[in-house]
Amino acid sequence: DQQVKQNSPSLSVQEGRISILNCDYTNSMFDYFLWYKKYPAEGPTFLISISSIKDKNEDGRFTVFLNKSAKHLSLHIVPSQPGDSAVYFCAASASTGNQFYFGTGTSLTVIP
Amino acid sequence: GAGVSQTPSNKVTEKGKYVELRCDPISGHTALYWYRQSLGQGPEFLIYFQGTGAADDSGLPNDRFFAVRPEGSVSTLKIQRTERGDSAVYLCASSFSGDTGELFFGEGSRLTVL
């Protein structure tokens, strides 16, 4: 039972344009969301997070948007750079629990 | 180093053998997690330690899997009677307190069961 879903396994974007990665979740108890970036043969590294009390969090080129009513979040990267090419995982947790639930990832390729 | 360290980075074993995977978390991090990532999937939760105790082991798939953290620092994931389906990358992560917050992952241990 996949509680966090990333329905796009891959995405290609031209350098300089916006990348939008999407994530949906089913558990209404989730109140904290994170995005991780993973390069081949490395562990995931934290990118940005958002609490359910917010609907937007921005960090440089990265912005995460949360739509609680739709149980949907998205990561915007602008402008996209070739070094952003990686697999991006969405993760969610509930303050009442200890687990982080991950999506299956979206492989982003930024074309120079 | 300052990051989460996992050994071995690669382990090839035969079906039925016993395997131990080690995780050395970031110093001072009380929370430690084990995840498993199969090909084309996201990390799947196995177990969470807060200090020395397993606070949540609900993700362990069966009783062949066991993990310990005797001194609240290094953790060992133990897999008995390995099966081909156990082949995956086993990721360890630590965090400062285990409250909602970012996890710091190691590079993983790739286990291949022949």
Side-chain angles (χ1 to χ4, degrees), chain B residues 85-102:
Chain B
D86 298 336
S87 297
V89 176
Y90 288 82
L91 293 164
C92 177
S94 68
S95 71
F96 183 68
S97 66
D99 292 341
T100 52
E102 62 177 284

PDB file of all heavy atoms in Angstrom, chain B residues 85-102:
ATOM      1  N   GLY B  85      15.342 -12.716  -2.695  1.00  0.00           N
ATOM      2  CA  GLY B  85      14.502 -11.527  -2.576  1.00  0.00           C
ATOM      3  C   GLY B  85      15.015 -10.501  -1.588  1.00  0.00           C
ATOM      4  O   GLY B  85      14.493  -9.380  -1.550  1.00  0.00           O
ATOM      5  N   ASP B  86      16.036 -10.858  -0.811  1.00  0.00           N
ATOM      6  CA  ASP B  86      16.625  -9.887   0.115  1.00  0.00           C
ATOM      7  C   ASP B  86      17.595  -8.956  -0.603  1.00  0.00           C
ATOM      8  O   ASP B  86      18.063  -7.972  -0.018  1.00  0.00           O
ATOM      9  CB  ASP B  86      17.389 -10.618   1.234  1.00  0.00           C
ATOM     10  CG  ASP B  86      16.489 -11.502   2.075  1.00  0.00           C
ATOM     11  OD1 ASP B  86      15.270 -11.244   2.135  1.00  0.00           O
ATOM     12  OD2 ASP B  86      17.013 -12.477   2.661  1.00  0.00           O
ATOM     13  N   SER B  87      17.912  -9.252  -1.839  1.00  0.00           N
ATOM     14  CA  SER B  87      18.842  -8.412  -2.604  1.00  0.00           C
ATOM     15  C   SER B  87      18.274  -7.008  -2.744  1.00  0.00           C
ATOM     16  O   SER B  87      17.154  -6.822  -3.229  1.00  0.00           O
ATOM     17  CB  SER B  87      19.091  -9.017  -3.993  1.00  0.00           C
ATOM     18  OG  SER B  87      19.706 -10.285  -3.892  1.00  0.00           O
ATOM     19  N   ALA B  88      19.050  -6.033  -2.299  1.00  0.00           N
ATOM     20  CA  ALA B  88      18.608  -4.634  -2.302  1.00  0.00           C
ATOM     21  C   ALA B  88      19.759  -3.777  -1.782  1.00  0.00           C
ATOM     22  O   ALA B  88      20.797  -4.300  -1.377  1.00  0.00           O
ATOM     23  CB  ALA B  88      17.382  -4.453  -1.405  1.00  0.00           C
ATOM     24  N   VAL B  89      19.546  -2.473  -1.805  1.00  0.00           N
ATOM     25  CA  VAL B  89      20.464  -1.563  -1.120  1.00  0.00           C
ATOM     26  C   VAL B  89      19.872  -1.266   0.253  1.00  0.00           C
ATOM     27  O   VAL B  89      18.712  -0.833   0.353  1.00  0.00           O
ATOM     28  CB  VAL B  89      20.668  -0.260  -1.908  1.00  0.00           C
ATOM     29  CG1 VAL B  89      21.548   0.703  -1.122  1.00  0.00           C
ATOM     30  CG2 VAL B  89      21.308  -0.550  -3.270  1.00  0.00           C
ATOM     31  N   TYR B  90      20.646  -1.514   1.279  1.00  0.00           N
ATOM     32  CA  TYR B  90      20.199  -1.259   2.642  1.00  0.00           C
ATOM     33  C   TYR B  90      20.788   0.080   3.087  1.00  0.00           C
ATOM     34  O   TYR B  90      22.011   0.255   3.149  1.00  0.00           O
ATOM     35  CB  TYR B  90      20.615  -2.412   3.560  1.00  0.00           C
ATOM     36  CG  TYR B  90      19.796  -3.642   3.269  1.00  0.00           C
ATOM     37  CD1 TYR B  90      20.129  -4.484   2.205  1.00  0.00           C
ATOM     38  CD2 TYR B  90      18.662  -3.940   4.015  1.00  0.00           C
ATOM     39  CE1 TYR B  90      19.356  -5.594   1.893  1.00  0.00           C
ATOM     40  CE2 TYR B  90      17.877  -5.048   3.721  1.00  0.00           C
ATOM     41  CZ  TYR B  90      18.233  -5.867   2.656  1.00  0.00           C
ATOM     42  OH  TYR B  90      17.456  -6.966   2.348  1.00  0.00           O
ATOM     43  N   LEU B  91      19.899   1.018   3.364  1.00  0.00           N
ATOM     44  CA  LEU B  91      20.288   2.375   3.711  1.00  0.00           C
ATOM     45  C   LEU B  91      20.125   2.598   5.214  1.00  0.00           C
ATOM     46  O   LEU B  91      19.115   2.217   5.800  1.00  0.00           O
ATOM     47  CB  LEU B  91      19.416   3.390   2.969  1.00  0.00           C
ATOM     48  CG  LEU B  91      19.571   3.450   1.451  1.00  0.00           C
ATOM     49  CD1 LEU B  91      18.380   4.190   0.830  1.00  0.00           C
ATOM     50  CD2 LEU B  91      20.865   4.142   1.068  1.00  0.00           C
ATOM     51  N   CYS B  92      21.111   3.233   5.787  1.00  0.00           N
ATOM     52  CA  CYS B  92      21.023   3.649   7.174  1.00  0.00           C
ATOM     53  C   CYS B  92      20.939   5.170   7.202  1.00  0.00           C
ATOM     54  O   CYS B  92      21.559   5.856   6.375  1.00  0.00           O
ATOM     55  CB  CYS B  92      22.255   3.179   7.932  1.00  0.00           C
ATOM     56  SG  CYS B  92      22.320   3.701   9.658  1.00  0.00           S
ATOM     57  N   ALA B  93      20.171   5.706   8.119  1.00  0.00           N
ATOM     58  CA  ALA B  93      20.055   7.153   8.265  1.00  0.00           C
ATOM     59  C   ALA B  93      20.034   7.501   9.746  1.00  0.00           C
ATOM     60  O   ALA B  93      19.598   6.692  10.575  1.00  0.00           O
ATOM     61  CB  ALA B  93      18.793   7.678   7.577  1.00  0.00           C
ATOM     62  N   SER B  94      20.505   8.671  10.063  1.00  0.00           N
ATOM     63  CA  SER B  94      20.418   9.131  11.445  1.00  0.00           C
ATOM     64  C   SER B  94      19.859  10.541  11.474  1.00  0.00           C
ATOM     65  O   SER B  94      19.890  11.264  10.475  1.00  0.00           O
ATOM     66  CB  SER B  94      21.776   9.063  12.149  1.00  0.00           C
ATOM     67  OG  SER B  94      22.697  10.006  11.627  1.00  0.00           O
ATOM     68  N   SER B  95      19.321  10.900  12.606  1.00  0.00           N
ATOM     69  CA  SER B  95      18.874  12.277  12.803  1.00  0.00           C
ATOM     70  C   SER B  95      19.113  12.665  14.248  1.00  0.00           C
ATOM     71  O   SER B  95      19.320  11.803  15.113  1.00  0.00           O
ATOM     72  CB  SER B  95      17.402  12.466  12.416  1.00  0.00           C
ATOM     73  OG  SER B  95      16.559  11.841  13.353  1.00  0.00           O
ATOM     74  N   PHE B  96      19.050  13.969  14.515  1.00  0.00           N
ATOM     75  CA  PHE B  96      19.439  14.460  15.825  1.00  0.00           C
ATOM     76  C   PHE B  96      18.559  13.901  16.924  1.00  0.00           C
ATOM     77  O   PHE B  96      19.012  13.473  17.964  1.00  0.00           O
ATOM     78  CB  PHE B  96      19.426  15.987  15.829  1.00  0.00           C
ATOM     79  CG  PHE B  96      19.877  16.575  17.124  1.00  0.00           C
ATOM     80  CD1 PHE B  96      21.203  16.461  17.532  1.00  0.00           C
ATOM     81  CD2 PHE B  96      18.985  17.219  17.968  1.00  0.00           C
ATOM     82  CE1 PHE B  96      21.627  16.987  18.736  1.00  0.00           C
ATOM     83  CE2 PHE B  96      19.401  17.750  19.170  1.00  0.00           C
ATOM     84  CZ  PHE B  96      20.728  17.633  19.551  1.00  0.00           C
ATOM     85  N   SER B  97      17.242  13.903  16.661  1.00  0.00           N
ATOM     86  CA  SER B  97      16.381  13.509  17.769  1.00  0.00           C
ATOM     87  C   SER B  97      15.313  12.507  17.403  1.00  0.00           C
ATOM     88  O   SER B  97      14.748  11.863  18.264  1.00  0.00           O
ATOM     89  CB  SER B  97      15.689  14.749  18.339  1.00  0.00           C
ATOM     90  OG  SER B  97      14.811  15.278  17.369  1.00  0.00           O
ATOM     91  N   GLY B  98      15.025  12.349  16.110  1.00  0.00           N
ATOM     92  CA  GLY B  98      13.944  11.458  15.725  1.00  0.00           C
ATOM     93  C   GLY B  98      12.612  12.164  15.614  1.00  0.00           C
ATOM     94  O   GLY B  98      11.644  11.588  15.138  1.00  0.00           O
ATOM     95  N   ASP B  99      12.545  13.405  16.057  1.00  0.00           N
ATOM     96  CA  ASP B  99      11.345  14.187  15.783  1.00  0.00           C
ATOM     97  C   ASP B  99      11.339  14.505  14.295  1.00  0.00           C
ATOM     98  O   ASP B  99      12.317  14.307  13.607  1.00  0.00           O
ATOM     99  CB  ASP B  99      11.366  15.491  16.580  1.00  0.00           C
ATOM    100  CG  ASP B  99      11.214  15.226  18.064  1.00  0.00           C
ATOM    101  OD1 ASP B  99      10.744  14.138  18.421  1.00  0.00           O
ATOM    102  OD2 ASP B  99      11.593  16.095  18.857  1.00  0.00           O
ATOM    103  N   THR B 100      10.268  15.015  13.798  1.00  0.00           N
ATOM    104  CA  THR B 100      10.224  15.313  12.368  1.00  0.00           C
ATOM    105  C   THR B 100      11.387  16.221  12.025  1.00  0.00           C
ATOM    106  O   THR B 100      11.601  17.254  12.632  1.00  0.00           O
ATOM    107  CB  THR B 100       8.899  16.000  11.996  1.00  0.00           C
ATOM    108  OG1 THR B 100       8.684  17.102  12.850  1.00  0.00           O
ATOM    109  CG2 THR B 100       7.751  15.020  12.114  1.00  0.00           C
ATOM    110  N   GLY B 101      12.133  15.803  11.097  1.00  0.00           N
ATOM    111  CA  GLY B 101      13.335  16.522  10.712  1.00  0.00           C
ATOM    112  C   GLY B 101      14.065  15.725   9.673  1.00  0.00           C
ATOM    113  O   GLY B 101      13.693  14.612   9.355  1.00  0.00           O
ATOM    114  N   GLU B 102      15.082  16.313   9.118  1.00  0.00           N
ATOM    115  CA  GLU B 102      15.740  15.637   8.027  1.00  0.00           C
ATOM    116  C   GLU B 102      16.547  14.444   8.517  1.00  0.00           C
ATOM    117  O   GLU B 102      17.093  14.433   9.624  1.00  0.00           O
ATOM    118  CB  GLU B 102      16.648  16.609   7.275  1.00  0.00           C
ATOM    119  CG  GLU B 102      17.767  17.190   8.101  1.00  0.00           C
ATOM    120  CD  GLU B 102      18.673  18.099   7.288  1.00  0.00           C
ATOM    121  OE1 GLU B 102      19.473  17.559   6.514  1.00  0.00           O
ATOM    122  OE2 GLU B 102      18.570  19.311   7.443  1.00  0.00           O
TER     123      GLU B 102
END
